[in-house]
Amino acid sequence: PAARGCELPGDGARATVSNQIGEEQRGSLQRVRQRGEKKCPWRQAAKIENLKNFSKLDFRSKQGLINHGRPMPELKGLRQNTGQKITRSFQVEWYQRKDWLCGCATKNRLYCFPCLLFSSTDNVWTNAGFCDLKNLPRSLNKHERSTAHIQSQIALKTFGSSGTELALDEQRRLNISIHNAKVKENREILKDLINATCFLAKQELAFRGSAGSGSSSNRGNYVELLHAFAEKDEKLARHLETSAVFSGLSSKMQNDLIDAVGEVIRNDIKQEINAAPFVAVEVDETTDVTNRAQVCVVLHYVAKSEATCEVREAFLGFDDVGEGRRAPAIAEYVLRVLGKYKCVDKLVAQTYDGASVMVSDLDEVQAKIKEKVPEAMFTHCYAHNLNLVLSHSAKCIPECKTFFRTLEGLATFFNQAATRTHLLDDLVRRRLPRAAPTRWRSRSRLVQTVSVHQPDLRAAFRIMSENPDGWDNETLMMAAGYDLWLSKASTCFFIMAYEDIFNETDALYRVLQSTATDIRFCCAQIRSAMEVVERQRQEFDSFYFRFEQKCAALGLTDIVRSGRPIREERRILFYNILDNIAIQLKARFAHFGDLAFVGLVDCTKFYEMSQHFDDTRLQSLSKFARHFDFVRLKADLVGLYNSAKVRNECKSPRQLLSFLAQNDLMQTVPEATKLLQLVLTIPAMTASAERPGSAVKRLRTYSRNRTDQGQLPSLAIISMETERLLRLKEKREDFYNKVTDIFVRKDGRTDFIYK
């Protein structure tokens, strides 16, 4: 249509170029353009961004680019619409009218070729590109009359006509060569600095000493370590002695290197999390050496490596928990961290196994996170749930709370001084177990040890009292107090009551730790434990008979008091202890069946399930319905159940997932693979705080030993992610380049950037 025409200025007058040009003429121009592109393929590949970098090229590259000519693509997307009607569109003939006009097919914009190359003026013809077809003739005239355009045209037409440009180019090439040689040397030196940074952060050693002067005999671990390296490296030694611009010893450079290494580790974590289908968040609370509480976030997920799949934990960060930082702030912090790693939608579970300071707010924290992610089930490790049952039962009864605190103090008393420990070794021939806050099995062992060695412990205290010259006053006073406490019948009552309880709960703990995937069996054992507790309640008389016999044998006495008979008081206390444990067991394991789907990948039951598929377990997966194709999932599982090779070689979900990965079978059974990843992601098998080498355990150790210099978040992540750091360093050059690139971006350090 005639509306597609566009007026362009002619030689001294405005000429009209319309779409009425004959088809033969248009075809001729098109063929000319195509022949030019075949002759100069650079025209097709040229990008406006490359033209903008013209000033950075050497003389020969500039000459070659000019010889190739301007890019003249057909801009089919450059048009102007009025409603749904196309009123103006780009015409190839425009390139013939204006020898300086060029285009960009990617952006569908027009540019000025000489100005892109030579002009430093920022305008639409050199920056964003021109696209206003309605005002094109006026804009063309205006641009052609501009001083910047005329100067650029002169520069383009006369380029290379004098020897000055070639001489300047040779000098520039020489300067670039000298600069790049220095950059290479600096980057080699930087490798030593990176190695020193990684070593100190990994070993949790302070970087700087107390004395800051260079003449100090102790200049800090970082500086001293570099000088130790320099004893075997002449280049590093010369650099440390002579470098004025970049020495690498300043505090700021140390911090920037720490941040750069930490950022490389974070990027690796992000890459793994992006590939993981599910994540579970573990929120823990730790206290540093200054008694400042901090909440930390650890992610639990399944990562695919080259030949297998691994369950991994990644430390994401920590934040101070000040006064008033309760549930809303904690939930907001957790969601903010998850958002930073773009995994909120992947969240399937949340657990707070070690959070004691904020225990009263845990329900509100998990509820607020579930508002954002309804699928994020609130779960503790099964065994940890049992720890909580015993912990809360002791806290709810004042007499029990006092008993356990005194018992723990008894163990601490002997562990605090070598002389006390030696006496314990001589008489008892066994150390008293330390009690851990989240591990009630340690209290179980402590109760059993004191029960067995109660006479020996009292004998040790009497030896201290009878030989006062060999002990300090504090030891004598505490020994007298503990001896009196062990001589009471009430102490024996608590020891015997909890010894019977622990005999049952220890057995349940072992079941939950070793067979957690067999949900039905675990549920049966929990019910059995509840029945035992109820049966113990009905057997108070036989318990009290054994108690009186032991008191008589040990010569233990009761304090005579008026009022209710002591037997009845103890009956009520006995009932309260057992009732409280029964209530806690029911509450803590009420939703145990929600994880029935875990039984679908219980490898020990595959043959049984090959004979009869349990659809109720599949239905328990409905909460995660958006992640699964249930028809395909059932088919995948049945296929695995009926494979004799799978049944023989795989004894756990972890082994099964590794088997699928190693044999390239993950795409064969994709839904079953996804289910295995979900099951292994949910931290319900082993308490995070009790897993050897777990992220939570490492974080607690780090926080307890942290100094002021350890407050840099990147120091924490390097220390926590040591295995990841070592894995990254296996590809040495790649690791150095990644750290260097991040380090260089800080303050734009040109001494490390090649030209």
Side-chain angles (χ1 to χ4, degrees):
R4 293 180 61 190
C6 180
E7 291 185 350
L8 285 174
D11 299 329
R14 297 173 65 87
T16 302
V17 179
S18 74
N19 279 341
Q20 295 176 354
I21 295 175
E23 291 297 326
E24 182 179 350
Q25 185 178 355
R26 179 182 290 113
S28 177
L29 289 169
Q30 181 72 8
R31 286 192 294 274
V32 168
R33 188 177 67 83
Q34 289 175 348
R35 283 198 300 271
E37 289 177 344
K38 290 179 180 177
K39 188 175 180 180
C40 303
W42 178 87
R43 289 184 178 181
Q44 295 175 320
K47 295 182 180 179
I48 297 302
E49 288 74 12
N50 296 337
L51 301 182
K52 292 179 180 180
N53 293 326
F54 181 80
S55 62
K56 299 179 180 179
L57 302 177
D58 59 36
F59 179 81
R60 289 183 177 81
S61 298
K62 289 179 179 179
Q63 188 70 62
L65 191 150
I66 291 173
N67 290 341
H68 278 306
R70 53 194 169 122
M72 297 184 292
E74 184 176 356
L75 306 180
K76 295 182 179 180
L78 181 56
R79 57 194 181 189
Q80 186 172 334
N81 297 347
T82 302
Q84 295 184 348
K85 184 178 179 181
I86 300 175
T87 58
R88 292 178 177 83
S89 64
F90 169 79
Q91 302 298 309
V92 177
E93 295 87 347
W94 298 349
Y95 292 134
Q96 310 302 320
R97 293 283 180 173
K98 299 296 177 184
D99 65 351
W100 53 266
L101 194 64
C102 65
C104 176
T106 304
K107 297 182 178 180
N108 280 304
R109 295 289 190 273
L110 294 169
Y111 294 86
C112 176
F113 182 66
C115 288
L116 281 171
L117 302 184
F118 294 99
S119 177
S120 59
T121 303
D122 190 14
N123 58 52
V124 68
W125 293 98
T126 59
N127 189 3
F130 191 88
C131 63
D132 184 7
L133 298 186
K134 180 179 179 180
N135 297 306
L136 179 60
R138 184 167 58 252
S139 297
L140 290 170
N141 273 330
K142 181 180 178 181
H143 181 66
E144 283 185 323
R145 291 196 299 267
S146 68
T147 302
H149 174 76
I150 294 171
Q151 290 178 345
S152 297
Q153 280 281 46
I154 294 172
L156 176 62
K157 300 297 184 181
T158 61
F159 182 81
S161 59
S162 67
T164 304
E165 291 174 334
L166 183 59
L168 290 174
D169 183 68
E170 289 298 327
Q171 182 61 44
R172 182 174 177 273
R173 290 175 61 187
L174 179 61
N175 291 339
I176 290 175
S177 178
I178 295 172
H179 172 82
N180 287 344
K182 186 61 178 176
V183 168
K184 182 178 180 181
E185 181 181 334
N186 287 344
R187 283 179 170 248
E188 288 299 317
I189 296 296
L190 194 63
K191 291 179 182 179
D192 289 323
L193 274 59
I194 293 171
N195 288 334
T197 300
C198 292
F199 175 80
L200 294 175
K202 180 171 66 72
Q203 298 300 119
E204 299 179 15
L205 299 173
F207 275 63
R208 295 180 284 278
S210 56
S213 64
S215 59
S216 170
S217 59
N218 181 7
R219 294 164 290 187
N221 291 328
Y222 177 80
V223 176
E224 294 293 344
L225 185 58
L226 286 177
H227 280 86
F229 289 170
E231 293 178 4
K232 296 291 185 180
D233 188 336
E234 292 183 2
K235 289 184 179 180
L236 178 60
R238 185 169 60 254
H239 170 83
L240 294 176
E241 292 174 2
T242 62
S243 179
V245 178
F246 154 62
S247 67
L249 304 181
S250 68
S251 297
K252 186 179 187 313
M253 190 157 287
Q254 293 177 37
N255 291 341
D256 287 348
L257 282 170
I258 292 169
D259 287 340
V261 175
E263 191 63 27
V264 170
I265 292 175
R266 290 188 192 94
N267 290 339
D268 186 69
I269 292 174
K270 287 180 182 178
Q271 187 175 353
E272 286 188 348
I273 291 174
N274 287 338
F278 308 106
V279 298
V281 64
E282 301 180 41
V283 181
D284 194 70
E285 180 259 319
T286 64
T287 304
D288 62 16
V289 291
T290 63
N291 259 349
R292 181 168 52 188
Q294 292 182 321
V295 60
C296 71
V297 176
V298 174
L299 270 195
H300 194 79
Y301 58 94
V302 176
K304 180 140 183 358
S305 57
E306 293 180 359
T308 185
C309 286
E310 299 177 10
V311 180
R312 288 185 182 164
E313 291 176 322
F315 167 67
L316 302 190
F318 55 76
D319 195 21
D320 291 340
V321 184
E323 196 171 327
R325 293 291 304 277
R326 306 315 303 174
I330 293 170
E332 180 184 351
Y333 171 71
V334 172
L335 290 171
R336 186 168 66 250
V337 172
L338 295 175
K340 179 181 176 182
Y341 286 82
K342 299 179 181 179
C343 59
V344 175
D345 293 338
K346 298 180 179 182
L347 188 63
V348 294
Q350 49 179 321
T351 181
Y352 305 86
D353 285 352
S356 57
V357 167
M358 56 185 185
V359 68
S360 60
D361 292 333
L362 285 184
D363 289 341
E364 188 177 352
V365 172
Q366 63 93 11
K368 285 186 174 295
I369 291 178
K370 288 195 74 172
E371 288 177 6
K372 184 76 173 178
V373 193
E375 296 171 349
M377 64 169 62
F378 179 45
T379 178
H380 278 297
C381 153
Y382 302 153
H384 186 76
N385 266 331
L386 185 57
N387 281 333
L388 293 177
V389 167
L390 300 172
S391 174
H392 283 282
S393 69
K395 289 179 180 178
C396 291
I397 303 173
E399 295 91 340
C400 297
K401 187 175 182 179
T402 301
F403 166 74
F404 279 109
R405 282 190 174 179
T406 308
L407 188 67
E408 292 163 15
L410 176 63
T412 304
F413 171 80
F414 282 105
N415 291 325
Q416 279 181 334
T419 52
R420 303 174 191 172
T421 303
H422 292 156
L423 180 61
L424 185 69
D425 292 341
D426 292 340
L427 292 178
V428 182
R429 292 182 174 82
R430 182 172 178 178
R431 303 284 177 90
L432 297 183
R434 290 178 179 269
T438 59
R439 302 182 66 177
W440 270 76
R441 284 198 70 195
S442 61
R443 288 176 172 81
S444 168
R445 293 193 295 272
L446 182 56
V447 166
Q448 292 168 353
T449 302
V450 173
S451 176
V452 172
H453 298 284
Q454 190 171 349
D456 298 327
L457 290 170
R458 292 194 64 192
F461 292 133
R462 284 195 297 271
I463 289 175
M464 293 180 186
S465 301
E466 293 169 359
N467 299 276
D469 294 338
W471 307 92
D472 58 82
N473 291 336
E474 181 184 3
T475 299
L476 293 173
M477 290 176 61
M478 294 180 71
Y482 284 123
D483 185 36
L484 178 62
W485 181 70
L486 288 173
S487 69
K488 294 180 179 179
S490 58
T491 300
C492 183
F493 172 82
F494 282 109
I495 290 174
M496 290 185 64
Y498 274 102
E499 191 173 17
D500 289 347
I501 293 169
F502 285 147
N503 285 337
E504 183 61 29
T505 58
D506 284 355
L508 179 58
Y509 183 91
R510 289 190 292 270
V511 168
L512 296 178
Q513 285 283 71
S514 60
T515 58
T517 55
D518 192 342
I519 301 297
R520 290 185 176 178
F521 179 72
C522 290
C523 286
Q525 293 301 306
I526 292 168
R527 286 193 296 270
S528 175
M530 293 179 181
E531 291 171 0
V532 170
V533 170
E534 180 61 30
R535 191 162 56 249
Q536 287 177 347
R537 192 181 191 281
Q538 298 171 4
E539 296 173 353
F540 173 76
D541 291 337
S542 62
F543 164 80
Y544 205 80
F545 177 73
R546 290 189 292 111
F547 162 69
E548 289 181 325
Q549 283 187 318
K550 186 170 184 178
C551 287
L554 296 176
L556 307 181
T557 58
D558 272 321
I559 298 175
V560 179
R561 292 179 297 178
S562 59
R564 181 185 297 171
I566 189 67
R567 181 186 174 100
E568 289 306 309
E569 287 187 5
R570 287 179 176 148
R571 181 192 297 274
I572 294 172
L573 183 59
F574 185 77
Y575 288 165
N576 285 343
I577 293 172
L578 294 175
D579 290 346
N580 195 284
I581 289 177
I583 292 171
Q584 289 287 336
L585 280 172
K586 291 177 182 178
R588 290 287 172 182
F589 293 98
H591 302 290
F592 198 75
D594 291 348
L595 295 175
F597 62 83
V598 175
L600 291 170
V601 289
D602 181 0
C603 296
T604 62
K605 301 294 179 64
F606 272 15
Y607 180 77
E608 176 185 326
M609 289 187 284
S610 69
Q611 307 300 311
H612 173 70
F613 189 89
D614 191 346
D615 287 303
T616 58
R617 292 180 176 177
L618 194 63
Q619 293 167 6
S620 71
L621 200 58
S622 59
K623 178 183 291 187
F624 305 101
R626 73 181 178 92
H627 296 288
F628 292 95
D629 176 348
F630 287 106
V631 175
R632 178 62 188 270
L633 175 59
K634 184 173 181 178
D636 288 355
L637 291 172
V638 170
L640 293 175
Y641 295 162
N642 284 279
S643 169
K645 188 172 184 65
V646 169
R647 294 198 301 265
N648 292 335
E649 295 189 16
C650 305
K651 304 304 179 184
S652 69
R654 195 183 302 248
Q655 288 182 3
L656 177 54
L657 185 59
S658 294
F659 173 85
L660 297 178
Q662 291 167 3
N663 293 281
D664 195 22
L665 291 169
M666 295 178 69
Q667 295 304 317
T668 304
V669 284
E671 297 300 310
T673 298
K674 204 183 303 179
L675 176 59
L676 286 164
Q677 291 171 320
L678 173 64
V679 168
L680 292 173
T681 297
I682 297 174
M685 306 304 163
T686 308
S688 60
E690 297 181 14
R691 284 193 294 269
S694 74
V696 170
K697 193 170 184 178
R698 296 197 307 273
L699 179 64
R700 290 178 183 173
T701 303
Y702 174 82
S703 296
R704 284 195 295 267
N705 299 328
R706 197 189 73 182
T707 63
D708 290 341
Q709 293 185 37
Q711 293 180 8
L712 286 171
S714 294
L715 268 181
I717 200 168
I718 298 171
S719 174
M720 294 288 297
E721 296 291 337
T722 298
E723 291 184 8
R724 187 183 302 274
L725 175 63
L726 296 176
R727 190 170 67 250
L728 288 169
K729 289 189 71 175
E730 289 176 359
K731 300 178 180 178
R732 299 181 65 84
E733 290 303 318
D734 181 63
F735 174 74
Y736 289 138
N737 288 335
K738 288 178 178 178
V739 175
T740 301
D741 290 344
I742 295 172
F743 173 77
V744 165
R745 289 201 296 268
K746 298 177 182 293
D747 299 336
R749 295 182 167 99
T750 57
D751 291 338
F752 296 89
I753 302 175
Y754 289 108
K755 290 185 178 179

